[in-house]
Amino acid sequence: DAGVIQSPRHEVTEMGQEVTLRCKPISGHNSLFWYRQTMMRGLELLIYFNNNVPIDDSGMPEDRFSAKMPNASFSTLKIQPSEPRDSAVYFCASSLSSGTTDTQYFGPGTRLTVL
Amino acid sequence: EDQVTQSPEALRLQEGESSSLNCSYTVSGLRGLFWYRQDPGKGPEFLFTLYSAGEEKEKERLKATLTKKESFLHITAPKPEDSATYLCADNNAGNMLTFGGGTRLMVKP
């Protein structure tokens, strides 16, 4: 079975440019999570969708960040405009919400470098 | 505020030298304690979920245990391929996880 798919795997951009990260969750999963990982702050949850609806976006750092999930198979995380401090590895994870505690499965991540 | 703290930050072991990693959490009403393994350049890989104090789970050379405020990941006779960063996370609300900073394990042959 295909796991969580993320693209691109690496992105290098210049400050001020728009960046779009993409995620395809595991087929049949109905919850999707975007995380950011840095050396200083570790792995932080940015936003969480359930059945394509954003449930909690309290981790989104500021208005420059936005996320969408137009259907069950696709989600995007957009940064506009990007800044050097946004450089990090961004992970997408998905799970099957069963009413109890669900296991999240992570994608390979997108390493973003903003110059 | 929910906090998850892992110790040590880094651990060097000789092959075959058993040890334990610690994960402490502050949340009350724990709904699950998760352990993940992360290799360089990859996403976290799920290992275990523990739900209640006294619970234990095993996988090969790894055994995870849970008390009311801590979880331990015991590594028995580790091999170099066990070298990785081990992350723990707790789940206290909905499906959201709070991760600890991780323990970087290096096993030398």
Side-chain angles (χ1 to χ4, degrees):
Chain A
D1 284 344
V4 175
I5 298 172
Q6 292 187 245
S7 65
R9 293 295 313 278
H10 302 272
E11 176 81 35
V12 180
T13 191
E14 292 191 347
M15 183 174 62
Q17 296 298 304
E18 178 179 295
V19 175
T20 300
L21 311 182
R22 297 172 176 79
C23 174
K24 177 178 170 56
I26 292 171
S27 178
H29 282 189
N30 59 356
S31 292
L32 184 139
F33 308 81
W34 282 101
Y35 289 87
R36 178 171 67 176
Q37 188 174 42
T38 62
M39 289 293 292
M40 290 296 295
R41 299 177 66 89
L43 196 57
E44 303 174 284
L45 177 66
L46 300 177
I47 187 169
Y48 153 44
F49 292 86
N50 184 252
N51 293 323
N52 311 338
V53 176
I55 304 299
D56 191 304
D57 65 355
S58 59
M60 296 285 264
E62 48 197 276
D63 291 346
R64 297 183 299 105
F65 285 69
S66 62
K68 294 183 179 180
M69 192 163 187
N71 58 60
S73 303
F74 184 66
S75 177
T76 59
L77 178 68
K78 186 176 292 187
I79 307 172
Q80 166 62 21
S82 58
E83 296 182 3
R85 60 193 167 117
D86 301 331
S87 297
V89 182
Y90 291 81
F91 289 103
C92 175
S94 70
S95 70
L96 176 60
S97 181
S98 61
T100 58
T101 300
D102 311 319
T103 298
Q104 296 180 23
Y105 296 91
F106 283 75
T110 295
R111 181 174 294 277
L112 173 65
T113 302
V114 183
L115 303 175
Chain B
E1 182 182 330
D2 182 18
Q3 272 195 306
V4 179
T5 304
Q6 292 187 245
S7 62
E9 289 186 9
L11 181 62
R12 291 175 181 260
L13 299 174
Q14 288 295 129
E15 183 172 2
E17 180 186 0
S18 301
S19 189
S20 296
L21 313 183
N22 176 265
C23 171
S24 63
Y25 58 93
T26 60
V27 70
S28 57
L30 180 73
R31 295 182 59 195
L33 189 292
F34 293 77
W35 282 97
Y36 285 83
R37 168 189 170 130
Q38 186 174 23
D39 292 297
K42 297 190 175 181
E45 175 188 348
F46 171 72
L47 292 174
F48 305 108
T49 309
L50 302 167
Y51 294 100
S52 56
E55 188 176 0
E56 297 183 354
K57 288 192 177 174
E58 289 189 63
K59 180 180 180 180
E60 296 182 356
R61 294 175 292 282
L62 301 177
K63 183 170 78 172
T65 62
L66 183 66
T67 70
K68 286 190 176 180
K69 286 301 177 188
E70 291 179 307
S71 178
F72 295 92
L73 185 65
H74 307 277
I75 303 176
T76 302
K79 297 182 177 182
E81 54 261 42
D82 295 321
S83 297
T85 295
Y86 291 86
L87 299 166
C88 74
D90 70 8
N91 172 242
N92 66 325
N95 285 311
M96 295 184 289
L97 299 181
T98 299
F99 279 86
T103 294
R104 190 171 71 254
L105 174 66
M106 294 154 282
V107 182
K108 295 199 167 187

